[in-house]
Amino acid sequence: MRTLSMTILLAALLAGCPSKRPNPDGPLPTPGDTEPPPEEPLPSGPPVPTGPANVPEFQPAFPGQTRAPAIQTKTAVQVTEIASGFRNPWAIAFLPDQRMLVTEKPTGSLYIVTPQGAKSPAVAGLPPVDGRGQGGLLDVEVGPDYAQRGLIYWTYYEPRSGGNGLAVARAKLVEGAQPRVEGVQVIFRMMPTLESTLHAGGRLVFTPDGKLFVTLGERSILAGRVQARDVRSHFGKVVRINPDGSVPLDNPYVNTEGAKREIWSVGHRNILSAALDRQQRLWIVEMGPRGGDELNRPEAGKDYGWPTIGYGEEYSGAPIHESTQGPGMEQPVYYWDPVISPSGMTIYTGELFPEWRDNVFIGGLSSQALVRLMMRNDRVVGEERLLTGLNARIREVVQGPEGALYLLTDETNGKLLKLTPR
Ligand SMILES: [Ca+2]
């Protein structure tokens, strides 16, 4: 339902207000130029059937920025339930021997799970979490030098004096009948502290050069949202740190007076999906407002616009943005209206599904689907919704060492699922 203020705003736009009108001739993201020319014709036809757009007055900045043609996987897919009984699980990470670490969001529990589905007792020694709302124990990753040091890394909502905030910790995993972590170090704290149970962000991505990306949310409440483009705050940022928490000296804001030196990119809303592609570049999907989920490829020092520009609106129907474009702000590679509610992401590099090579997979919460994107020259050229028959919110998707996809469903009896060719 449109509000009166939106009607007035639109009237002003239509009457001519060039500085705020979406500019179809404005600068666009530069497509990648390193890939060979297309060999197969691009998909064509209607998009994935979804509901009508929530904000139809906002138009894409370039063809294919939303509602790419629907595609259909030709490979028959087998879904195997490996384990269940996880209370709202959030993340999976593979140990070198193919066992998995699995986190439970509200309880703050971490489990070790065998490929056959046997679950360890909860790992002891993790610091307490603030498990309310979207908080809790979130992502987990196995350190790049795990074989030598046994370190694992995780994100969680940290209870603090005066509020809470996302933190990243690492510790040595000690196996046994009662597994535990030893020597817990908090290596990063999102600042400032604020009381909010929403928009925690929290994905961790190690890069081959030994750095660690952490994706952050803007806390949702207005006091946080307004800091998303402010380099003096961690809210609404991708940050990049060394595994000990120190700041890489080639970060973009290390010499900016007053800036948080961990910042990599700014202007994000709530980043619950992050993955590297075959070229080791970071991609993210942001949980947007109503009609505004975004796929972005965050580059150092760039501004992705939230809350100034975007394609969505408040869940009340009230407008957020005067425009979808603005000077100095990047366009999303792709957006969804209506939203998918993204969480979890992997870009497929395995051998089990040759058809899925370099496809982007995103867990869908409200969309209750595994979203598959076909890419060409860093643009989305096809979209599919897989596993809609499960009627389950998909929280996490990762590629296993053998090339299968592993998923978590977001339920009080959450499941660990495995996808293989049938
Ligand atoms: Ca944006």
Side-chain angles (χ1 to χ4, degrees):
M1 194 179 300
R2 310 308 316 158
T3 64
L4 183 59
S5 59
M6 189 51 152
T7 309
I8 292 168
L9 171 65
L10 280 171
L13 285 170
L14 294 169
C17 186
S19 65
K20 292 177 179 176
R21 185 183 298 204
N23 175 12
D25 301 314
L28 297 178
T30 309
D33 53 5
T34 58
E35 291 161 55
E39 290 160 13
E40 294 174 28
L42 294 178
S44 60
V48 169
T50 59
N54 290 120
V55 198
E57 57 270 36
F58 283 163
Q59 293 297 310
F62 53 86
Q65 195 184 23
T66 190
R67 295 183 182 241
I71 52 176
Q72 202 164 8
T73 290
K74 297 179 190 74
T75 312
V77 177
Q78 172 90 37
V79 182
T80 306
E81 182 179 309
I82 296 178
S84 62
F86 298 101
R87 183 149 168 225
N88 300 97
W90 211 87
I92 305 167
F94 277 90
L95 292 165
D97 63 4
Q98 306 205 7
R99 287 178 305 155
M100 289 158 271
L101 301 174
V102 175
T103 61
E104 263 184 6
K105 181 170 71 80
T107 64
S109 297
L110 173 71
Y111 298 96
I112 305 170
V113 183
T114 69
Q116 295 74 34
K119 197 187 301 182
S120 74
V123 175
L126 275 74
V129 303
D130 184 339
R132 296 173 297 157
Q134 297 171 358
L137 176 61
L138 304 175
D139 209 359
V140 62
E141 284 291 330
V142 172
D145 56 356
Y146 182 82
Q148 291 77 44
R149 302 178 67 191
L151 293 175
I152 62 169
Y153 294 72
W154 66 93
T155 52
Y156 63 108
Y157 239 48
E158 179 185 53
R160 298 177 188 166
S161 164
N164 51 34
L166 190 107
V168 184
R170 70 174 182 177
K172 182 175 182 181
L173 179 64
V174 182
E175 301 244 25
Q178 172 55 68
R180 64 184 195 277
V181 289
E182 264 182 16
V184 175
Q185 291 177 290
V186 176
I187 58 167
F188 175 78
R189 284 191 167 93
M190 176 166 73
M191 297 299 289
T193 295
L194 189 71
E195 173 68 23
S196 168
T197 61
L198 301 172
H199 296 195
R203 291 287 173 191
L204 293 171
V205 178
F206 278 104
T207 59
D209 64 352
K211 308 301 185 206
L212 177 58
F213 284 116
V214 188
T215 71
L216 302 172
E218 38 71 297
R219 316 302 309 274
S220 183
I221 59 176
L222 189 60
R225 180 190 278 191
V226 296
Q227 300 179 39
R229 298 180 58 213
D230 184 343
V231 296
R232 295 167 299 182
S233 164
H234 286 136
F235 295 171
K237 309 299 190 304
V238 173
V239 300
R240 178 176 177 259
I241 56 178
N242 293 312
D244 64 359
S246 62
V247 174
L249 294 178
D250 58 346
N251 267 7
Y253 295 102
V254 286
N255 296 318
T256 303
E257 180 80 24
K260 296 289 188 197
R261 300 167 76 243
E262 299 89 353
I263 293 175
W264 174 258
S265 60
V266 314
H268 305 289
R269 183 173 181 271
N270 189 23
I271 309 167
L272 298 183
S273 308
L276 300 181
D277 65 13
R278 195 181 293 274
Q279 300 164 62
Q280 314 298 345
R281 303 176 304 174
L282 180 71
W283 293 74
I284 60 167
V285 188
E286 302 186 33
M287 182 82 77
R290 188 164 78 174
D293 288 349
E294 293 188 358
L295 172 69
N296 283 300
R297 185 169 69 77
E299 294 183 271
K302 292 196 174 174
D303 180 346
Y304 292 81
W306 176 263
T308 307
I309 61 168
Y311 288 84
E313 63 185 5
E314 304 281 11
Y315 274 81
S316 66
I320 302 168
H321 319 293
E322 292 187 351
S323 175
T324 57
Q325 303 187 26
M329 290 175 278
E330 303 300 312
Q331 278 297 302
V333 172
Y334 195 69
Y335 71 88
W336 288 266
D337 179 7
V339 296
I340 57 170
S341 306
S343 182
M345 180 181 195
T346 197
I347 302 177
Y348 192 75
T349 57
E351 305 296 330
L352 270 188
F353 290 96
E355 183 185 1
W356 288 353
R357 180 185 163 91
D358 298 322
N359 286 180
V360 176
F361 289 86
I362 305 155
L365 295 170
S366 67
S367 54
Q368 299 196 334
L370 178 64
V371 177
R372 178 172 79 99
L373 301 178
M374 182 188 291
M375 307 296 294
R376 182 81 49 90
N377 298 326
D378 289 347
R379 295 278 175 86
V380 177
V381 296
E383 176 174 357
E384 181 174 20
R385 306 286 171 92
L386 293 158
L387 307 183
T388 51
L390 293 180
N391 298 313
R393 293 160 54 89
I394 308 291
R395 171 61 76 182
E396 167 76 313
V397 51
V398 299
Q399 181 182 315
E402 81 288 43
L405 288 183
Y406 290 78
L407 315 178
L408 293 171
T409 62
D410 178 40
E411 304 171 84
T412 52
N413 178 16
K415 298 174 184 67
L416 170 60
L417 305 175
K418 175 181 173 179
L419 267 57
T420 50
R422 202 193 308 251

